[in-house]
Amino acid sequence: MRVHRGKAVLVGATALAIAITGCSSSKTSTTSNGNSSGKGTLIYGESTDFPENLNPLISAGNSTATANLEVRLFNGPFRITPAIAYEADPDQVVGQPTSALAGGQQVVTYKINPKAVWDDGVKITEKDYAYTWQAQKSADPKTGCPALLGTTGYDQIASVTAGADDHTVVVKYQKGNPFPDWQSLFSPLLSAHVMDKGSNAADCAYITKGWATASGFPAGVTNGPWQLAKSDINVPSKTFTLTHNPKYWGASPKLAKLVDAYIGSDPNTNVTVLQNQEAAMIYPQPQLDLVKNLKGLSSVTTEINFGVAFEHLDFNIATPGLSDVRVRQAIALAIDRKALVQATVGQFSDKATVLGNRLLMTNQGGYVNNGTAYDAQNIAKAKQLIQAAGGVMGQGGIYSIKGKPLSFAVETTQNNPLRDQTIATIANQVKAAGIKLTEKPDPNIFGDTTQPTSLAAHGYQLALFAWVGGPSLSSNASIYQTGGGQNYTGGGDKTADGFLKQMTSATTTDAEKAAANAADKQLWTDMFTLPLYQKPTLLAFDNTYTGIADNATQAGPLWNSEGFAVKS
């Protein structure tokens, strides 16, 4: 086993060692708001690529690394909790924002915390909400900004105005077009007094350019408990050092500093930085050898959880054989998903389980296992379905329909051991039902329509890849809607479409989840896609720190970093 040590691990290893030494200091000071400035430094070893840009609205700034870094720099009225739910942030709003219907129009009211300010001391007001809406409501090149990653929800808003004062925000959605995931909007909240350049064109040019990583953030655009000064960005060493935002009105972080150090994804490196105290926390992609080696470190706590990313199969219904729902159902029945879990993610944790829903995760409120008919392998029924579809047993024990063998390629990403194991396992399972599956790694699986075998071009037979769930259920409707932009199967069902429409127009969380479950129940009959299991997350940290807890949603491992502390 090759082990990376010392300066081979981190370009800035010496600087990091100095920072770690500071953890033992018991000295504290106070900030301008009278709060303790904390003590000690925690170094977080980031496994993803160092970001090119810090603006989260555009592709150049859209990475896991940026999201992890900015989760407590750019705040809004709601935070995502480990329970895969939205929770109002009391430092940003007073009380719980409300959503109600008035004359067929959804009206959402926010009460901004009157103490809330940007990092330059300018108060957060209704103008910031209005600018955030205007900046993100359109990707139309003529009226909006094509560089935006998405406009969903913002494009359904009719107006954003002040209520009784500029700390009351009233958001009205278009009549008859409510947005069920309204809690996902205005996070991040954008700073009007800095970012509003006076016209749509000027605003778009500013957003498109973004904030180059080496230059940092302009003053006045962050509003969380941490700040990131340009002088605390070290591009050659690939480190960010977060310090206290002196203008923050809430409780100050318990640490004096938080360092993001980009160490890469090599498993040996991740173990070594913890072992050598070059980092105190890591959040790498789980691998069995990595987990085993981390658990061998007596001074380290290791946690495995299951988040919102899940593996599934897509069936291209334009493929001969797969066009018949009975064949798709037969493949699902021939797969022993419980045994598949044990052979794959079950190796990481006994918390691993079969996923029986396409829209809600097993650890999410409202989850229902709608796929109980496919929980157990049933080879006899699978064969009956194939024979009913005209299947004739052929050479090598493989069925054929109209002369075409039920032999399919499963397209997937390259160099992914978990997916290799998944496909090998299900291929072995379905052989007993007279079906042959072979793995087909494809570098162009996520390419555009010019790549003939890509998902977008519908040029595959079966595909194994991941979707991401979460509290914003409506964002995944297009995966399953007839003609949906992310519906790569080509399948559609009017009944499911009706429930999905209800899901995307609900005005309460309970109604949204009820519609999601109704849609998913119908989709089990159609079998255009087959959910398999949620993917594991791996958090490991030095035991000298407290307050660290995994959040396996999109919020990232630093979701509550202001609560990290050195044990006294």
Side-chain angles (χ1 to χ4, degrees), residues 25 126 165 358 399 401 416 464 487 495:
S25 172
E126 166 271 337
D165 53 49
R358 295 161 178 79
Y399 279 106
I401 296 178
N416 189 310
L464 175 73
N487 184 343
T495 301

Side-chain angles (χ1 to χ4, degrees), residues 71-72 79 226 546-551 555-564:
V71 66
R72 295 303 283 149
R79 300 174 67 180
W226 296 104
T546 63
I548 298 174
D550 191 10
N551 188 336
L558 303 182
W559 71 282
N560 65 332
S561 56
E562 68 272 27
F564 296 175

Side-chain angles (χ1 to χ4, degrees), residues 253-306:
K254 295 179 180 180
L255 293 171
K257 295 179 180 180
L258 175 66
V259 177
D260 268 27
Y262 289 73
I263 62 175
S265 58
D266 178 78
N268 295 329
T269 299
N270 275 268
V271 174
T272 302
V273 294
L274 280 178
Q275 189 173 31
N276 294 351
Q277 294 188 315
E278 293 169 310
M281 183 175 78
I282 59 172
Y283 201 66
Q285 288 291 323
Q287 296 184 39
L288 288 175
D289 286 347
L290 172 59
V291 173
K292 180 180 178 181
N293 290 336
L294 287 171
K295 287 183 176 180
L297 301 179
S298 59
S299 62
V300 170
T301 295
T302 302
E303 295 181 5
I304 296 286
N305 287 288
F306 292 85

Side-chain angles (χ1 to χ4, degrees), residues 48-52 63 65 213 233-235 237-240 260 262:
T48 58
D49 292 337
F50 191 72
E52 301 173 4
S63 69
T213 297
I233 300 172
N234 190 324
V235 174
S237 292
K238 296 185 178 180
T239 61
F240 298 103
D260 268 27
Y262 289 73

Side-chain angles (χ1 to χ4, degrees), residues 517-555:
N517 275 309
D520 180 67
K521 187 175 181 180
Q522 181 62 36
L523 291 167
W524 277 102
T525 300
D526 299 320
M527 199 56 69
F528 302 128
T529 68
L530 175 65
L532 300 174
Y533 54 76
Q534 290 166 247
K535 298 183 72 173
T537 62
L538 170 60
L539 174 69
F541 59 90
D542 192 295
N543 292 333
T544 57
Y545 293 87
T546 63
I548 298 174
D550 191 10
N551 188 336
T553 71
Q554 299 107 317

Side-chain angles (χ1 to χ4, degrees), residues 352-566:
T353 186
V354 168
L355 178 61
N357 202 305
R358 295 161 178 79
L359 293 159
L360 291 155
M361 301 297 100
T362 59
N363 46 341
Q364 187 172 7
Y367 169 83
V368 176
N369 179 5
N370 294 309
T372 53
Y374 296 92
D375 276 354
Q377 186 185 45
N378 192 332
I379 296 297
K381 188 173 181 180
K383 286 184 173 182
Q384 288 173 5
L385 287 170
I386 293 171
Q387 290 166 6
V392 177
M393 182 61 72
Q395 189 175 5
I398 304 299
Y399 279 106
S400 292
I401 296 178
K402 294 180 180 180
K404 291 187 177 294
L406 296 187
S407 177
F408 307 106
V410 183
E411 209 153 316
T412 193
T413 55
Q414 294 180 308
N415 304 317
N416 189 310
L418 180 60
R419 288 181 182 148
D420 295 341
Q421 181 62 38
T422 297
I423 294 173
T425 300
I426 63 177
N428 187 58
Q429 291 172 344
V430 302
K431 279 194 301 185
I435 302 162
K436 182 179 180 180
L437 299 180
T438 54
E439 181 174 359
K440 182 186 175 185
D442 185 358
N444 299 315
I445 186 171
F446 298 122
D448 59 25
T449 54
T450 64
Q451 303 295 334
T453 59
S454 69
L455 294 168
H458 298 259
Y460 68 98
Q461 295 179 334
L462 275 79
L464 175 73
F465 60 102
W467 281 119
V468 178
S472 297
L473 301 183
S474 66
S475 63
N476 279 348
S478 68
I479 298 172
Y480 308 107
Q481 288 170 325
T482 303
Q486 295 175 292
N487 184 343
Y488 302 128
T489 69
D493 182 297
K494 289 183 178 180
T495 301
D497 288 345
F499 290 128
L500 290 168
K501 185 175 181 180
Q502 291 178 26
M503 183 185 77
T504 58
S505 60
T507 55
T508 68
T509 299
D510 287 346
E512 183 183 26
K513 289 180 178 179
N517 275 309
D520 180 67
K521 187 175 181 180
Q522 181 62 36
L523 291 167
W524 277 102
T525 300
D526 299 320
M527 199 56 69
F528 302 128
T529 68
L530 175 65
L532 300 174
Y533 54 76
Q534 290 166 247
K535 298 183 72 173
T537 62
L538 170 60
L539 174 69
F541 59 90
D542 192 295
N543 292 333
T544 57
Y545 293 87
T546 63
I548 298 174
D550 191 10
N551 188 336
T553 71
Q554 299 107 317
L558 303 182
W559 71 282
N560 65 332
S561 56
E562 68 272 27
F564 296 175
V566 181

Side-chain angles (χ1 to χ4, degrees), residues 102-421:
Q105 185 173 33
Q106 183 182 11
V107 179
V108 177
T109 304
Y110 303 84
K111 296 282 188 180
I112 303 172
N113 188 328
K115 297 179 181 178
V117 296
W118 296 101
D119 61 60
D120 59 359
V122 174
K123 283 194 172 185
I124 297 174
T125 70
E126 166 271 337
K127 292 180 180 179
D128 299 306
Y129 281 75
Y131 172 75
T132 301
W133 165 51
Q134 291 288 351
Q136 296 199 72
K137 71 179 182 179
S138 176
D140 186 328
K142 294 180 180 179
T143 59
C145 189
L148 292 174
L149 289 170
T151 61
T152 302
Y154 292 108
D155 56 355
Q156 294 172 229
I157 294 175
S159 65
V160 178
T161 58
D165 53 49
D166 63 5
H167 283 83
T168 302
V169 184
V170 179
V171 179
K172 293 183 178 180
Y173 288 79
Q174 298 160 8
K175 276 196 173 185
N177 194 19
F179 183 56
D181 295 318
W182 60 272
Q183 294 164 304
S184 67
L185 302 187
F186 304 106
S187 295
L189 188 65
L190 304 181
S191 174
H193 74 284
V194 175
M195 297 181 67
D196 189 349
K197 301 304 178 184
S199 71
N200 287 339
D203 287 350
C204 181
Y206 179 77
I207 289 170
T208 302
K209 182 179 179 182
W211 302 312
T213 297
S215 300
F217 302 110
V221 299
T222 63
N223 64 337
W226 296 104
Q227 68 176 3
L228 177 61
K230 179 180 178 180
S231 59
D232 287 328
I233 300 172
N234 190 324
V235 174
S237 292
K238 296 185 178 180
T239 61
F240 298 103
T241 300
L242 304 182
T243 59
H244 292 204
N245 173 5
K247 301 294 184 180
Y248 194 64
W249 57 99
S252 291
K254 295 179 180 180
L255 293 171
K257 295 179 180 180
L258 175 66
V259 177
D260 268 27
Y262 289 73
I263 62 175
S265 58
D266 178 78
N268 295 329
T269 299
N270 275 268
V271 174
T272 302
V273 294
L274 280 178
Q275 189 173 31
N276 294 351
Q277 294 188 315
E278 293 169 310
M281 183 175 78
I282 59 172
Y283 201 66
Q285 288 291 323
Q287 296 184 39
L288 288 175
D289 286 347
L290 172 59
V291 173
K292 180 180 178 181
N293 290 336
L294 287 171
K295 287 183 176 180
L297 301 179
S298 59
S299 62
V300 170
T301 295
T302 302
E303 295 181 5
I304 296 286
N305 287 288
F306 292 85
V308 293
F310 65 98
E311 294 287 293
H312 77 289
L313 283 172
D314 262 22
F315 297 87
N316 183 353
I317 67 167
T319 303
L322 298 179
S323 59
D324 193 315
V325 64
R326 292 168 293 188
V327 174
R328 301 195 299 270
Q329 291 172 342
I331 293 173
L333 285 167
I335 295 173
D336 186 339
R337 292 189 300 147
K338 290 182 180 179
L340 172 65
V341 166
Q342 291 305 309
T344 54
V345 290
Q347 299 293 307
F348 292 96
S349 169
D350 58 9
K351 289 188 267 185
T353 186
V354 168
L355 178 61
N357 202 305
R358 295 161 178 79
L359 293 159
L360 291 155
M361 301 297 100
T362 59
N363 46 341
Q364 187 172 7
Y367 169 83
V368 176
N369 179 5
N370 294 309
T372 53
Y374 296 92
D375 276 354
Q377 186 185 45
N378 192 332
I379 296 297
K381 188 173 181 180
K383 286 184 173 182
Q384 288 173 5
L385 287 170
I386 293 171
Q387 290 166 6
V392 177
M393 182 61 72
Q395 189 175 5
I398 304 299
Y399 279 106
S400 292
I401 296 178
K402 294 180 180 180
K404 291 187 177 294
L406 296 187
S407 177
F408 307 106
V410 183
E411 209 153 316
T412 193
T413 55
Q414 294 180 308
N415 304 317
N416 189 310
L418 180 60
R419 288 181 182 148
D420 295 341
Q421 181 62 38

